[in-house]
Amino acid sequence: MGTMTIKVAINGYGTIGKRVADAVDAQDDMEIVGVTKTRPAFGCDLAVRKGYPIYCTFDDESRIKAFADAGYTCHGGLSDLLKVADIVVDCSPGKVGASNKATYVEAGVKWIFQGGEKHEMTGNSYTSSANHVQNLNVQGTRVVSCNTTGLSRTLVPLYEHCGELSVECTMIRRAADPGDSSKGPINAIKPVLKVPSHHGPDVMTVKPEIKINSMAVAVPTTIMHVHVITATLPEGHGLTTESILEMWASHPRLIIMNGAETGITTTAEVMEFSRDIGRKWGDLHEIFVWEDGVKLEGNTLYYFQAIHQESDVIPENVDAIRALMGVEEDWRVSVNKTDSAISKYNNL
Ligand SMILES: NC(=O)c1ccc[n+]([C@@H]2O[C@H](COP(=O)([O-])OP(=O)(O)OC[C@H]3O[C@@H](n4cnc5c(N)ncnc54)[C@H](OP(=O)(O)O)[C@@H]3O)[C@@H](O)[C@H]2O)c1
């Protein structure tokens, strides 16, 4: 590959797609060659402002022409976009991506799906710290969901220290994203009646050695998920509450803060903190762990963590691009490169 710039297409310019586009655009080894919209509506103006070429999600002429009729320059359909791309990041709605896979195979591009798709569809899944190496040079992968990414951030370093880990957790899930007006509940707590929920077992698609189960409830909030985690460590783990906190503090994309000292005791303050430090869209790519909510009692570790659902997977997509294109073998080097480029578009 040498110093070639990786040409990245974004198929689906919504909540995740627009964020991945900006994170890719910030890197010096990749560029956005185009983003797709299904129709000339909300989102096209943002792409124009960012200077990303707009393509139509579909190839038929009448749908492409509708963009020009609405005053947007549309460079063609998805097939035209794939001709100028090395890799496509599919950010279409959950379960829709599966129908796009044949198109990517036919176009001969590499592909990355998101957590709304099934592991079986790609045969590979990805988080930066768990299995970057296993994804080197593969044709396609899936960046796991926001919840699975969050679990992986704290559990993988623990597993790597202990060599064995058994976990039970409860996902307290946001009902909808802030920009989503069609989901709920708005005044109820909704248990996920598929037990265990898919979130925990999904961690095993990136780190099969971790034994993990989860249950989930959706609550009327839009801003974050909270995980309530109980992990059983093996005998002779040699860890203390303090050493676990130190381990996490030295791990990328984790923020540890003391709730009592900072006054950041709820997800509302975590998000306010993120806005205060000038993060674009108020995003928080890091997983937030409350220091005073972590306790190791014998072999049992208890902790809470908060996940910014719209953004923790964004830098992981950038690292996944490097893995698939085979340009960086060391996940830590990729993570540092990704995060330092992204930090330039965050203000403070
Ligand atoms: N939102 C989260 O919190 C979150 C977190 C982690 C992972 N994910 C996963 O990321 C993926 C995208 O979710 P999202 O929240 O970004 O969804 P979203 O906000 O609904 O955005 C999806 C975008 O894809 C476009 N689209 C519709 N049909 C398409 C098709 N056939 N091909 C390509 N694009 C199509 C949509 O249409 P328009 O062009 O009409 O706008 C929209 O812009 C899902 O797999 C989801 O599970 C989401």
Side-chain angles (χ1 to χ4, degrees), residues 149-150 153 224 251-256 270-271 273-274 277 279 283-289 305-309 311-316 339 342-343 346:
T149 299
R153 291 255 180 94
M224 289 188 105
H251 195 78
R253 299 179 185 157
L254 284 171
I255 290 180
I256 320 285
V270 175
M271 285 286 89
F273 160 74
S274 196
I277 59 174
R279 295 292 178 87
D283 284 354
L284 194 66
H285 293 168
E286 298 90 339
I287 303 308
F288 188 99
V289 179
Q305 60 181 20
I307 314 296
H308 185 230
Q309 76 278 355
S311 73
D312 67 334
V313 299
I314 303 309
E316 310 272 323
D339 293 356
I342 287 173
S343 71
N346 290 324

Side-chain angles (χ1 to χ4, degrees), residues 11-12 14-16 37-38 57 91-93 96 114 116 174 177 309:
N11 190 23
T15 307
I16 298 296
K37 289 298 288 178
T38 59
T57 312
C91 303
S92 61
V96 168
Q114 305 303 311
R174 62 88 177 94
D177 287 336
Q309 76 278 355

Side-chain angles (χ1 to χ4, degrees), residues 16-183:
I16 298 296
K18 67 186 178 186
R19 288 172 164 85
V20 173
D22 279 18
V24 165
D25 185 54
Q27 312 298 316
D28 65 10
D29 56 347
M30 46 189 87
E31 65 174 311
I32 293 293
V33 291
V35 303
T36 68
K37 289 298 288 178
T38 59
R39 59 198 175 93
F42 181 58
C44 287
D45 290 325
L46 181 64
V48 169
R49 273 202 299 278
K50 304 272 180 182
Y52 303 143
I54 297 174
Y55 287 78
C56 179
T57 312
F58 309 100
D59 283 338
D60 48 301
E61 284 305 322
S62 61
R63 296 183 84 147
I64 294 172
K65 187 172 167 299
F67 284 83
D69 294 346
Y72 296 107
T73 304
C74 178
H75 296 260
L78 177 62
S79 302
D80 298 304
L81 173 57
L82 297 180
K83 280 183 201 143
V84 296
D86 300 315
I87 186 164
V88 55
V89 185
D90 186 300
C91 303
S92 61
K95 300 188 180 66
V96 168
S99 58
N100 292 333
K101 187 179 160 189
T103 313
Y104 304 151
V105 173
E106 201 175 312
V109 294
K110 298 210 170 198
W111 66 83
I112 295 175
F113 287 101
Q114 305 303 311
E117 309 302 325
K118 289 203 178 332
H119 172 76
E120 293 68 36
M121 207 256 291
T122 56
N124 293 306
S125 289
Y126 181 91
T127 71
S128 306
S129 66
N131 65 346
H132 185 83
V133 167
Q134 283 95 316
N135 280 272
L136 283 175
N137 296 306
V138 301
Q139 196 62 30
T141 198
R142 174 188 73 126
V143 169
V144 294
S145 74
C146 49
N147 279 305
T148 307
T149 299
L151 289 168
S152 175
R153 291 255 180 94
T154 44
L155 292 175
V156 168
L158 257 187
Y159 166 78
E160 281 173 356
H161 176 90
C162 296
E164 196 184 317
L165 201 59
S166 167
V167 182
E168 299 292 337
C169 51
T170 302
M171 321 272 97
I172 301 173
R173 292 179 42 216
R174 62 88 177 94
D177 287 336
D180 185 349
S181 59
S182 63
K183 289 188 189 152

